Amino acid sequence: MKSSPSARSWIAAGVRHELLMRALPALRHEMAGPVSLLRMTLLMLKRHAGANPVDGAACMQRVDQASDQLALLVDSVRALRDWELATNDEGLARSELVRQCAGLMRAAFDLNGLSLEIDERLDASAPDEVRWPDGAALRYLLLGALGHLHDQTEEPVLVRIEPGDEPHLVRVRVAPKPDGREDVELMPHRAPRSLAIDAVCLQNLADDLGRTITIERDEVVLSMKPA
């Protein structure tokens, strides 16, 4: 029996939830950092305000620091809207998308002995780089490709994100690690196999997001252009 469109959408929703859970540690860290600094800044401000005589310059310095940290916290909270598919956004450039997703997944890869590298051609944004619509969908799709290769890999490898043959394509591939590369022995961070993102899950995600994707044994090529 073939899956109905409704069933495919439910599968895609489950994959998106799994990807969000995997990215959550990085998102939580971005929010927790400013909170910790803000608490320390307010403690120091309280001490300065309670001194006799009051050091006005020191108080203002702490107030400015608190304002900066609060702004960082607000930006992190607002960034959660980037995960909502229904939210209108300005889209993403290819290099920007790659940097965001690599930053979210790098810790999970490192904990499992996988190295995540970005091709130097994607490491910097060009002023005239094309922005592709539906940034949330693109983020989920690239994270899905990374998660798929992460889950299918049974031993430490090198995972590279590279530009495809066309400006709208992104290639993610795995290759053996170079000889002599040292890996830190840490607890595996692989998702339980029952929650692994296999090729069927990844294809359902791409179909639901309206994007074209090619899944091979050792690589995934995704299109940022709407299908």
Side-chain angles (χ1 to χ4, degrees), residues 141-173:
L141 189 58
L142 182 51
L143 289 178
L146 290 170
H148 170 69
L149 294 177
H150 175 276
D151 293 349
Q152 305 309 308
T153 303
E154 299 295 340
E155 59 185 22
V157 295
L158 173 66
V159 179
R160 283 183 56 83
I161 308 177
E162 303 172 343
D165 298 331
E166 301 291 338
H168 62 279
L169 297 178
V170 179
R171 174 180 286 106
V172 186
R173 65 179 182 88

Side-chain angles (χ1 to χ4, degrees), residues 24-39:
L24 192 59
L27 296 173
R28 185 170 57 235
H29 176 75
E30 291 179 359
M31 289 186 284
V35 171
S36 298
L37 293 174
L38 183 59
R39 292 178 62 184

Side-chain angles (χ1 to χ4, degrees), residues 97-172:
L97 171 68
V98 168
R99 288 196 303 273
Q100 285 186 13
C101 292
L104 289 169
M105 289 290 103
R106 191 175 299 281
F109 273 62
D110 289 345
L111 284 172
N112 203 41
L114 283 71
S115 295
L116 181 58
E117 293 186 355
I118 301 176
D119 188 286
E120 62 182 8
R121 290 170 292 178
L122 295 174
D123 206 23
S125 300
D128 57 347
E129 191 172 3
V130 178
R131 300 186 70 86
W132 302 96
D134 303 326
L138 296 174
R139 191 177 295 104
Y140 276 119
L141 189 58
L142 182 51
L143 289 178
L146 290 170
H148 170 69
L149 294 177
H150 175 276
D151 293 349
Q152 305 309 308
T153 303
E154 299 295 340
E155 59 185 22
V157 295
L158 173 66
V159 179
R160 283 183 56 83
I161 308 177
E162 303 172 343
D165 298 331
E166 301 291 338
H168 62 279
L169 297 178
V170 179
R171 174 180 286 106
V172 186

Side-chain angles (χ1 to χ4, degrees), residues 3 6 8 25 33 52 59 83 91 98 104 110 124 134-135 143 153 161-162 166 175 190 197 200 209 211 216 219:
S3 298
S6 177
R8 291 196 295 270
N52 188 14
C59 288
W83 297 86
V98 168
L104 289 169
D110 289 345
D134 303 326
L143 289 178
T153 303
I161 308 177
E162 303 172 343
E166 301 291 338
R190 186 186 304 279
I197 301 172
V200 175
L209 297 175
R211 291 311 201 275
E216 303 290 347
E219 74 172 24

Side-chain angles (χ1 to χ4, degrees), residues 4-83:
S4 67
S6 177
R8 291 196 295 270
S9 293
W10 275 106
I11 293 172
V15 176
R16 292 199 307 272
H17 178 268
E18 171 64 16
L19 292 171
L20 180 56
M21 291 301 98
R22 296 188 189 195
L24 192 59
L27 296 173
R28 185 170 57 235
H29 176 75
E30 291 179 359
M31 289 186 284
V35 171
S36 298
L37 293 174
L38 183 59
R39 292 178 62 184
M40 290 189 293
T41 299
L42 291 177
L43 177 61
M44 295 303 298
L45 176 59
K46 182 178 179 180
R47 291 180 179 177
H48 289 311
N52 188 14
V54 175
D55 188 339
C59 288
M60 288 304 302
Q61 181 183 11
R62 297 299 177 183
V63 169
D64 291 340
Q65 290 176 350
S67 296
D68 292 342
Q69 290 146 14
L70 182 59
L72 290 174
L73 178 59
V74 170
D75 288 343
S76 297
V77 173
R78 286 177 175 169
L80 293 177
R81 294 182 301 183
D82 294 341
W83 297 86

Side-chain angles (χ1 to χ4, degrees), residues 198-208 211-215:
D198 59 18
V200 175
C201 290
L202 184 57
Q203 186 63 62
N204 274 278
L205 176 66
D207 292 343
D208 191 65
R211 291 311 201 275
T212 303
I213 192 167
T214 303
I215 306 171

